[in-house]
Amino acid sequence: MIARQLKILLYKVLALSMVLAGFALAQSDDQTVDIRIPNYIGLKIINGSGNIALNSSVAFDYTADVNSYVAAVEGAGVLEPNVASDFEDIQVVVRRGRWYVFVRATPFSYTGPESGAGLNLSDIRVNRGLKSGLTPDAITARAGGWIRPSWSLSNNWQLIVSDRRSTLGWKSLGFNALDYSVAVQGDEDPGEYVTVVTYFLFNP
C-alpha cells in the first residue's frame, strides 16, 4: 500500500513539472497603439431636423399686415418675426480652453422708394430664450461661464458669450429666430431692409 501511494504522488509531481515546462516555453510580443485626438471647435445654426441650416433667415414682413404694424407703433413698439427659416437653434462645440462667441451685423441694404431712414441696426434685438424657451446648456456658469441675456445688433463685433470649459459635445447657446424682435417708431421709410448677422466662435 505504501509503494502504490508513492507511485501516485510521483505521477502528480511529474504532471506539475510538465505544466511548468509549458509556461516556460510561451512567447510574447507587443505592438504600439497610436491615438490622436483632434482639438476641434464648431458653431452651427440648425434647422428643425437637427441638420446644419443652409439658408437660415429671420423676416419681419408686415406689408400684408399693416394693422399689426400700426398696433406695434401705437403700443409697445415691438414686432416679432412672422417668417423664420432654418433657424431652430444655434450650437457650439469646444474641446478645451477659454472660448468666446462674438456677433456682428452688416449695415442695412435698403430697397424702396425713399432713403431708408428711420430704421437702425440697434432697433433689432435678441432676447435670448424669451420666445423660444431654449436654455444655454453650452455655458458652465459654475466655472465662470456667462452669456448675455439680450443684445442689439451692431456693425461692430460684440462679445456675447464667454466660457472656459469643454462643452462635451454640441450644445445650445439658448436662442433661435423666435427670440429676435424689431422696435418700430412709425417713422421708418417703407421698403425692404436686409442685414447679414454673423456669429463667430473664437478659441485662442
Side-chain angles (χ1 to χ4, degrees):
M1 289 291 288
I2 294 173
R4 290 182 66 190
Q5 286 177 353
L6 288 173
K7 197 171 194 180
I8 292 170
L9 183 59
L10 287 173
Y11 283 137
K12 287 182 179 179
V13 171
L14 180 60
L16 181 59
S17 298
M18 291 174 66
V19 170
L20 290 174
F23 277 115
L25 292 175
Q27 295 183 352
S28 68
D29 203 348
D30 57 27
Q31 68 179 30
T32 299
V33 177
D34 186 6
I35 301 173
R36 299 184 182 188
I37 305 296
N39 185 25
Y40 59 91
I41 64 171
L43 181 147
K44 65 181 178 180
I45 295 174
I46 62 172
N47 59 25
S49 301
N51 300 317
I52 294 175
L54 301 178
N55 296 298
S56 57
S57 64
V58 182
F60 301 84
D61 186 358
Y62 285 85
T63 54
D65 188 6
V66 176
N67 290 335
S68 293
Y69 171 78
V70 172
V73 169
E74 295 175 348
V78 176
L79 295 174
E80 297 179 0
N82 53 11
V83 181
S85 175
D86 280 356
F87 191 173
E88 293 295 322
D89 197 4
I90 181 168
Q91 300 178 345
V92 295
V93 60
V94 180
R95 276 208 66 250
R96 57 179 295 280
R98 173 66 71 178
W99 55 275
Y100 309 90
V101 176
F102 297 85
V103 62
R104 182 174 71 175
T106 62
F108 281 126
S109 68
Y110 170 74
T111 304
E114 300 183 36
S115 64
L119 190 66
N120 302 307
L121 282 176
S122 59
D123 292 328
I124 302 174
R125 192 162 189 83
V126 177
N127 293 289
R128 176 181 49 78
L130 181 64
K131 296 295 182 179
S132 68
L134 295 172
T135 56
D137 59 2
I139 312 304
T140 51
R142 288 177 298 176
W146 58 267
I147 180 170
R148 286 188 183 182
S150 64
W151 57 90
S152 295
L153 296 188
S154 170
N155 185 227
N156 300 314
W157 285 110
Q158 300 180 79
L159 176 63
I160 60 170
V161 180
S162 174
D163 207 335
R164 61 185 178 90
R165 294 245 180 129
S166 167
T167 60
L168 302 177
W170 287 101
K171 297 293 175 62
S172 175
L173 292 180
F175 65 94
N176 68 14
L178 298 178
D179 297 316
Y180 279 72
S181 64
V182 59
V184 291
Q185 292 80 37
D187 61 349
E188 297 83 13
D189 286 348
E192 182 179 17
Y193 301 77
V194 178
T195 180
V196 177
V197 181
T198 301
Y199 293 92
F200 176 69
L201 172 62
F202 181 53
N203 179 217

